[in-house]
């Protein structure tokens, strides 16, 4: 697709991301040069409205950029995706004061925001949380609890934090699968706020090792009503917002599938394998898979918004499966060369596996799809 304006993916930017991806996979840390290039590129502000200093890009353009970044550096791509998913929530649910406080920090200073929702022991549907916010005698909220698997945690400038509020009514969980629970709220919290502790080491994950995915502790953190982005039913709506807009992690899976396909193509050229019809046919099959997944991502934002949330869950499942399938086919094409530990297909495969575990993971998407696939939705 045509991007609205110059995508700053000049050869230098792309090379920084590419070499950074390899380095980060070895060290398990966010690559400093890649993050610095990202902050300076302006891309973190691509979805910030122009009147707050950003580029005002829509979800289709953001998906396209995220896919391109994922080809070179999937860890940076998930950081950008999750960051954009917060930006659109601030734009939609923020007060003017909140927009003026947070959006220019992103657009003008290249600040990065992370989502702190998952908890050790909490299920993917986030219906029950142990991180709480309660008012003290002076009326200030006090946030307590611990989050895990927060992408960008080790380098984020601020967090969007999902918390449980004191119950306002008899909470009976809906029998239907849901994403988010009752009496919950989202707060925006500065990483430097008193009581916020981020262990410097990221989780030692198999894939997405350069994404700074880690833990965050909130030890009696004072927050005000002015820090609350939304609460109650608006919180479950806000959780769904990226899906409602068509902003999708599927873009990352498409970029990963493209990277795997490109790896097979380079291998074939290097070994003069393209003369072999069987090899060409296999490459054609991975190309079909990549193009179909890209079309599914584009279709999300094209046309009507009718049942887009349902379609977004379908695209999340299908594209992450495509990412894994293309990697598996390419490993077969590479033979024993691809079985060497240092071969890039192994990093790409591990990164592709990660996407299906990311929110909403495949099992939750399937539950949500099953609950929504009534004849009336079709
Ligand atoms: C790379 C990466 C980045 C992430 N980034 C973030 C982030 O930025 N912020 C954040 O808050 N979280 C993040 N997460 C966490 C993610 O969002 C998941 O929600 C979280 O890990 C919990 O999901 P789960 O599937 O592991 O847990 P559970 O829901 O407890 O499921 C555990 C396992 O049980 C099985 N299972 C459970 N229910 C069903 C069912 N109905 N049907 C079939 N099987 C079922 C599944 O096999 C599942 O794997 C990230 C995770 C990863 C891997």
């Amino acid at each position: 697709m045509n991007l609205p304006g110059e995508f700053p993916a000049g050869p230098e930017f792309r090379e920084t991301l590419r070499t950074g991806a390899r380095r980060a996979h070895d060290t398990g840390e966010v690559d400093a040069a890649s993050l610095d290039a990202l902050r300076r590129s302006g891309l973190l502000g691509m979805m910030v409205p122009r009147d707050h200093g950003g580029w005002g890009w829509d979800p289709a353009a953001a998906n396209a950029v995220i896919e391109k970044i994922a080809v070179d550096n999937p860890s940076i791509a998930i950081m950008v995706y999750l960051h954009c998913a917060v930006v659109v929530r601030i734009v939609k649910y923020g007060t003017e004061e909140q927009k003026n406080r947070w959006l220019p920090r992103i657009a003008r200073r290249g600040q990065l925001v992370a989502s702190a929702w998952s908890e050790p022991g909490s299920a993917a549907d986030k219906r029950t949380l142990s991180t709480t916010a309660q008012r003290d005698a002076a009326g200030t909220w006090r946030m307590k609890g611990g989050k895990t698997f927060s992408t960008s945690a080790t380098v984020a400038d601020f967090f969007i934090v999902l918390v449980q509020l004191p119950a306002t009514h008899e909470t009976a969980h809906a029998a239907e699968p849901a994403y988010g629970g009752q009496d919950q709220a989202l707060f925006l919290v500065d990483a430097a706020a008193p009581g916020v502790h981020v262990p410097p080491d990221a989780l030692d994950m198999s894939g997405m090792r350069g994404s700074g995915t880690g833990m965050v502790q909130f030890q009696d953190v004072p927050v005000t009503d002015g820090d609350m982005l939304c609460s109650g039913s608006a919180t479950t709506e806000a959780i769904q917002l990226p899906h409602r807009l068509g902003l999708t992690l599927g873009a990352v899976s498409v970029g990963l599938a493209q990277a795997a396909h490109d790896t097979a193509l380079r291998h074939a050229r290097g070994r003069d394998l393209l003369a072999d019809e069987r090899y060409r046919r296999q490459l054609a099959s991975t190309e079909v898979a990549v193009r179909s997944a890209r079309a599914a991502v584009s279709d999300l934002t094209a046309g009507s918004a009718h049942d887009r949330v349902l379609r977004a869950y379908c695209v999340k499942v299908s594209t992450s499966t495509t990412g894994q399938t293309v990697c598996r086919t390419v490993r077969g094409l590479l033979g024993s060369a691809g079985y060497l530990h240092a071969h890039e297909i192994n990093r790409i495969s591990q990164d592709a596996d990660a996407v299906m575990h990311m929110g909403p993971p495949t099992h939750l998407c399937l539950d949500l799809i099953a609950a929504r696939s009534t004849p009336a939705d079709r």
Side-chain angles (χ1 to χ4, degrees), residues 132-167:
T132 57
Q134 307 224 357
R135 282 198 198 274
D136 63 16
T140 303
W141 293 99
R142 296 274 165 184
M143 189 184 287
K144 291 181 190 166
K147 299 288 184 178
T148 189
F149 278 101
S150 171
T151 291
S152 307
T154 61
V155 290
D157 300 290
F158 64 102
F159 291 94
I160 186 169
V161 191
L162 183 63
V163 299
Q164 195 67 47
L165 300 178

Side-chain angles (χ1 to χ4, degrees), residues 78 82 115-118 122-126 148-151 205 208 213 354 357-359 361 363 367:
I78 63 167
L82 285 154
S115 301
W117 298 9
S118 299
S122 82
D125 62 12
K126 316 284 186 287
T148 189
F149 278 101
S150 171
T151 291
M205 301 193 296
M208 299 295 184
T213 299
H357 294 296
M358 296 181 67
H363 65 87
D367 287 348

Side-chain angles (χ1 to χ4, degrees), residues 4 26 53 60 76 82 109 118 134 160 212 254 256 259 263 274 288 299 310 316 358 367 370 378:
D26 291 339
I76 293 287
L82 285 154
R109 288 156 57 190
S118 299
Q134 307 224 357
I160 186 169
V254 177
L256 279 157
T263 301
L274 287 175
V288 168
D299 178 60
L310 172 66
K316 168 78 173 35
M358 296 181 67
D367 287 348
R378 294 214 172 103

Side-chain angles (χ1 to χ4, degrees), residues 85-152:
V86 182
V87 169
V88 294
R89 292 180 179 114
I90 297 174
V91 171
K92 169 90 179 158
Y93 295 98
T95 61
E96 274 315 302
E97 191 279 326
Q98 286 171 331
K99 289 181 200 172
N100 289 334
R101 179 153 45 125
W102 299 104
L103 296 178
R105 285 173 61 159
I106 292 169
R108 302 216 167 92
R109 288 156 57 190
Q111 290 206 348
L112 179 68
V113 55
S115 301
W117 298 9
S118 299
E119 298 177 352
S122 82
D125 62 12
K126 316 284 186 287
R127 281 165 73 165
T128 45
L129 298 172
S130 53
T131 300
T132 57
Q134 307 224 357
R135 282 198 198 274
D136 63 16
T140 303
W141 293 99
R142 296 274 165 184
M143 189 184 287
K144 291 181 190 166
K147 299 288 184 178
T148 189
F149 278 101
S150 171
T151 291
S152 307

